Amino acid sequence: MTRLFQLFILAAILISLSFTIHYPIDGYHSTGIARLYRLHKQILDSVENRRIPVGAYKSLSDIKLNLLGRSDDSTSVLLTPNTDFEKKINRLFPGSGYSATVLDMSNPDSLKYAAYRENVGYQPGSVGKLAVLNALFTQLSKLCPESWDARTALLKNKNVTARYWGTGDHHTIPIYDIESDKLTRRTVRASDEFSLYEWIDHMVSVSNNGAASIVWREALLMSAFGDKYATLKDEDAENYFKDMPRDSLTTMAINLVNDPLRDLGITEDEWRLGSLFTRPAGKYIGREGGSIGTPVGLMKFLVQLEQGNVVDKESSLEMKRLLYLTDRRIRYAHSPRLDSAAVYFKSGSFYKCDRKKDPNCGDYAGNVFNYMNSVIIVEQPNNKKYIVCLMTNVLNKNSAGAHMYLAGKIDEALNEM
């Protein structure tokens, strides 16, 4: 680690340690994520927030990894189907167009696992952003292998601009001005500048595609520049992309997000990403190999996250915190049965309409393909804890309601056991 990099990290750590409030909602001072400041202020001022349910108000000390005691067990051991459990769960799925895996981890010493068409491949959509999150934390561990505080300090204090990488996505991001107490929701602009923590939050909490391309870009720059990354200027970063051959950059970028999945024993056919999330990012980085996801591949990831084996225990816990949903719950997570539960959630969709077949083909109701995916960790107040990875491809229908319905039925079935 260079002397300049050490000084940057030391200064950042000292700034971070001057605060005692933690993530998630009460985590503005430790992360710098401005929307958390607004949420925490609403709690202090007793302002009602109808956007999020009671299960979204956990604090740092409440969020734990559920399978730390089984960190040495392989996924092949943990994900052994339970015949009776599987029969009960699999009866809930309508059939063709649905695939899922469900793991009841309420009792870590007696797991129950069910798999339904678990090896069928789907376009993962925004669920693939979990692989980008993993890639960034993998690179952070290489930059600062001996200091977790140094990693989080870099996330909080390293600001980067969007540039063309973040444009071209219709998903809005929350931009909160603390001084004026004003919240604006708009699409990403090339001039937008946020910390790494905020770009990650934009990628995960509101699933902004531009933010995902930016986080992927920064992970690639960490790999390329090492200790020099902390003080890397935007101009130097852009020159790097201009100077590198496009095919080399493409291979490096694709390997960056996929190799950590292979290290977790997730095969190429179980989960892979083949392109960035926004078209402008393709200026220097192309597509390679296509993207695919399966319920078993995603389950392997979330199980190892709960074991503390995704990068390391600290990284796994922080990624779980980042998945803790303190924004509006949608699709699977919107089920009223989950209102009191803590949910750690990512959803994704990808669809295509043939207007010649049907001029009225609607959003999220594609007639060529219509992927909708939900991965979730649920922790109910009664200590019922489970993971669900649900992937669907049902044509001509927005499956958000079906996901929400299944969420209620799965939760009901699990709580009857």
Side-chain angles (χ1 to χ4, degrees):
M1 193 182 288
T2 65
R3 178 62 176 165
L4 182 62
F5 186 65
Q6 288 175 326
L7 291 173
F8 176 89
I9 294 300
L10 178 60
I13 291 172
L14 291 174
I15 292 171
S16 296
L17 292 180
S18 65
F19 302 100
T20 58
I21 299 175
H22 298 293
Y23 186 78
I25 283 183
D26 53 352
Y28 166 71
H29 290 302
S30 61
T31 64
I33 298 172
R35 75 175 182 90
L36 300 179
Y37 182 98
R38 177 174 178 266
L39 289 171
H40 185 58
K41 184 176 182 296
Q42 287 178 336
I43 294 172
L44 295 178
D45 295 344
S46 300
V47 175
E48 184 180 9
N49 187 333
R50 296 183 180 180
R51 187 178 177 89
I52 56 178
V54 295
Y57 288 91
K58 282 185 177 287
S59 65
L60 174 69
S61 59
D62 297 320
I63 299 175
K64 304 179 187 300
L65 300 177
N66 291 304
L67 298 176
L68 283 177
R70 304 200 62 175
S71 60
D72 292 333
D73 291 336
S74 68
T75 55
S76 61
V77 170
L78 299 180
L79 301 180
T80 300
N82 178 292
T83 303
D84 293 337
F85 179 70
E86 190 168 70
K87 285 181 180 178
K88 184 168 186 175
I89 293 297
N90 288 2
R91 281 198 294 265
L92 301 176
F93 302 114
S96 179
Y98 286 78
S99 294
T101 50
V102 180
L103 179 71
D104 183 351
M105 55 179 178
S106 306
N107 180 356
D109 294 325
S110 182
L111 302 178
K112 296 187 180 77
Y113 177 62
Y116 181 77
R117 303 175 74 240
E118 72 276 17
N119 294 308
V120 176
Y122 295 75
Q123 218 289 347
S126 288
V127 170
K129 290 165 185 171
L130 297 180
V132 179
L133 185 66
N134 182 25
L136 185 80
F137 275 87
T138 298
Q139 293 307 313
L140 280 171
S141 71
K142 294 178 180 179
L143 269 185
C144 314
E146 298 177 0
S147 174
W148 173 250
D149 287 335
R151 298 182 217 175
T152 55
L154 187 61
L155 290 174
K156 180 183 177 182
N157 295 285
K158 172 71 173 178
N159 288 350
V160 297
T161 54
R163 309 194 290 284
Y164 58 89
W165 300 80
T167 60
D169 179 32
H170 70 280
H171 292 94
T172 61
I173 59 172
I175 301 175
Y176 179 64
D177 187 312
I178 293 174
E179 292 185 4
S180 65
D181 190 24
K182 182 180 179 181
L183 177 68
T184 304
R185 294 183 185 274
R186 62 164 175 78
T187 57
V188 173
R189 298 170 184 167
S191 59
D192 283 338
E193 180 177 319
F194 297 107
S195 70
L196 294 178
Y197 252 135
E198 288 226 275
W199 282 122
I200 292 170
D201 186 60
H202 292 326
M203 175 181 76
V204 177
S205 70
V206 293
S207 203
N208 185 269
N209 291 332
S213 289
I214 291 164
V215 173
W216 195 332
R217 176 193 73 192
E218 295 306 307
L220 185 58
L221 291 170
M222 287 180 189
S223 176
F225 285 89
D227 289 353
K228 296 178 181 178
Y229 171 78
T231 54
L232 183 67
K233 304 297 183 185
D234 288 351
E235 181 181 359
D236 295 328
E238 285 303 311
N239 285 335
Y240 168 76
F241 292 115
K242 291 176 184 177
D243 294 339
M244 284 288 290
R246 190 172 188 271
D247 57 347
S248 297
L249 271 175
T250 298
T251 298
M252 289 168 58
I254 300 303
N255 289 344
L256 187 87
V257 295
N258 288 309
D259 285 350
L261 299 179
R262 305 300 158 259
D263 293 340
L264 292 171
I266 301 170
T267 70
E268 186 178 359
D269 291 333
E270 289 174 337
W271 190 13
R272 67 177 182 269
L273 293 188
S275 66
L276 278 78
F277 287 82
T278 48
R279 289 186 182 277
K283 181 178 181 180
Y284 294 121
I285 297 175
R287 299 169 179 266
E288 187 175 286
S291 298
I292 196 170
T294 63
V296 70
L298 295 167
M299 179 60 77
K300 284 182 178 181
F301 178 82
L302 291 178
V303 165
Q304 290 179 88
L305 192 78
E306 290 286 8
Q307 289 178 290
N309 291 338
V310 179
V311 185
D312 51 39
K313 184 170 69 174
E314 293 83 4
S315 299
S316 294
L317 181 59
E318 189 67 4
M319 281 188 264
K320 185 174 178 179
R321 290 173 187 151
L322 287 161
L323 288 171
Y324 181 55
L325 201 56
T326 52
D327 198 69
R328 181 172 60 92
R329 294 183 176 183
I330 63 171
R331 298 172 179 166
Y332 193 103
H334 190 54
S335 170
R337 281 194 64 98
L338 305 185
D339 283 353
S340 298
V343 300
Y344 311 82
F345 179 68
K346 192 77 198 76
S347 180
S349 61
F350 190 60
Y351 65 92
K352 182 178 180 180
C353 285
D354 182 344
R355 303 294 179 185
K356 292 181 180 179
K357 280 186 179 180
D358 180 7
N360 298 316
C361 181
D363 293 344
Y364 309 106
N367 57 15
V368 179
F369 53 78
N370 191 45
Y371 299 108
M372 186 170 287
N373 311 308
S374 297
V375 297
I376 191 167
I377 300 168
V378 177
E379 297 173 351
Q380 290 283 15
N382 65 359
N383 206 41
K384 182 61 69 173
K385 300 175 182 179
Y386 59 91
I387 303 171
V388 177
C389 299
L390 173 65
M391 309 188 82
T392 62
N393 181 25
V394 180
L395 301 181
N396 303 304
K397 178 183 177 180
N398 187 332
S399 294
H403 279 228
M404 186 177 71
Y405 171 79
L406 275 171
K409 299 306 289 184
I410 291 171
D411 188 79
E412 183 181 357
L414 283 161
N415 278 279
E416 288 174 351
M417 296 179 182

